[in-house]
């Protein structure tokens, strides 16, 4: 089923794609207003929710309860060093096959997955 996006949804999706980072709904609302693409806050929330259900926007909820939105990026994972903050991209997706298996076994359409590794890089190791 192909969903018809509203103009505000298109506007927000395009904005998130150029932004290349996560943003809260409140900040997104302020950024759009600064860019003279003003949308009501309720419209921003509704559009984000619709885009999330479509699988083109992903949301991450922080421990503080705040939700951060970003456009779904290509399948890419990182090793993040907790000491220097360096993020090393991994060439291949380690769970690509698993995703295919899960989709098949559960008749579930997977939109995206997240996978992050944290630790200490070789330069930080004593
Ligand atoms: Zn490091
Ligand atoms: Zn992956």
């Amino acid at each position: 089923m192909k969903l018809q996006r509203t103009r505000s949804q298109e506007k927000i999706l395009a904005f998130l794609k150029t932004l290349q980072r996560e943003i809260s709904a409140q900040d997104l609302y302020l950024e759009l207003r600064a860019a003279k693409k003003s949308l009501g806050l309720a419209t921003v929330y509704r559009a984000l929710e619709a885009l999330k259900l479509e699988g083109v926007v992903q949301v991450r909820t922080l421990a503080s309860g705040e939700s951060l939105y970003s456009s779904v990026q290509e399948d890419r994972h990182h090793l993040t060093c907790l000491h220097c903050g360096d993020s090393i991209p991994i060439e291949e997706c380690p769970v690509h096959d698993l995703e295919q298996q899960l989709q098949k076994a559960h008749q579930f359409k997977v939109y995206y997955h997240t996978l992050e590794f944290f630790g200490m890089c070789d330069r930080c190791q004593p």
Side-chain angles (χ1 to χ4, degrees):
M1 187 179 70
K2 182 86 186 89
L3 292 169
Q4 193 67 45
R5 286 191 201 127
T6 65
R7 196 176 293 193
S8 38
Q9 285 167 16
E10 289 289 0
K11 214 187 264 187
I12 284 174
L13 185 59
F15 193 83
L16 285 174
K17 277 181 178 165
T18 54
L19 197 64
Q20 298 274 353
R21 63 177 168 89
E22 299 176 309
I23 190 168
S24 69
Q26 182 74 37
D27 286 346
L28 178 60
Y29 163 74
L30 294 173
E31 293 264 356
L32 286 168
R33 204 168 58 171
K36 302 263 183 284
K37 290 174 185 163
S38 208
L39 292 172
L41 187 56
T43 306
V44 171
Y45 274 108
R46 264 202 312 275
L48 285 171
E49 181 65 17
L51 292 168
K52 183 187 83 179
L53 293 178
E54 199 191 324
V56 290
V57 162
Q58 69 184 75
V59 59
R60 192 164 66 95
T61 305
L62 303 178
S64 65
E66 186 178 39
S67 294
L68 296 178
Y69 299 84
S70 59
S71 75
V72 171
Q73 306 294 323
E74 52 186 322
D75 196 7
R76 183 163 281 255
H77 306 286
H78 294 89
L79 303 171
T80 299
C81 175
L82 292 171
H83 295 261
C84 68
D86 217 16
S87 247
I88 303 148
I90 312 169
E91 286 305 314
E92 277 175 21
C93 174
V95 298
H96 180 80
D97 292 343
L98 174 65
E99 182 174 300
Q100 306 296 319
Q101 285 168 27
L102 288 170
Q103 296 207 88
K104 233 177 176 170
H106 298 271
Q107 302 288 309
F108 187 95
K109 178 89 193 74
V110 176
Y111 289 153
Y112 64 88
H113 59 257
T114 60
L115 180 66
E116 292 175 88
F117 299 91
F118 299 94
M120 196 192 286
C121 74
D122 61 347
R123 281 174 307 156
C124 292
Q125 287 170 38

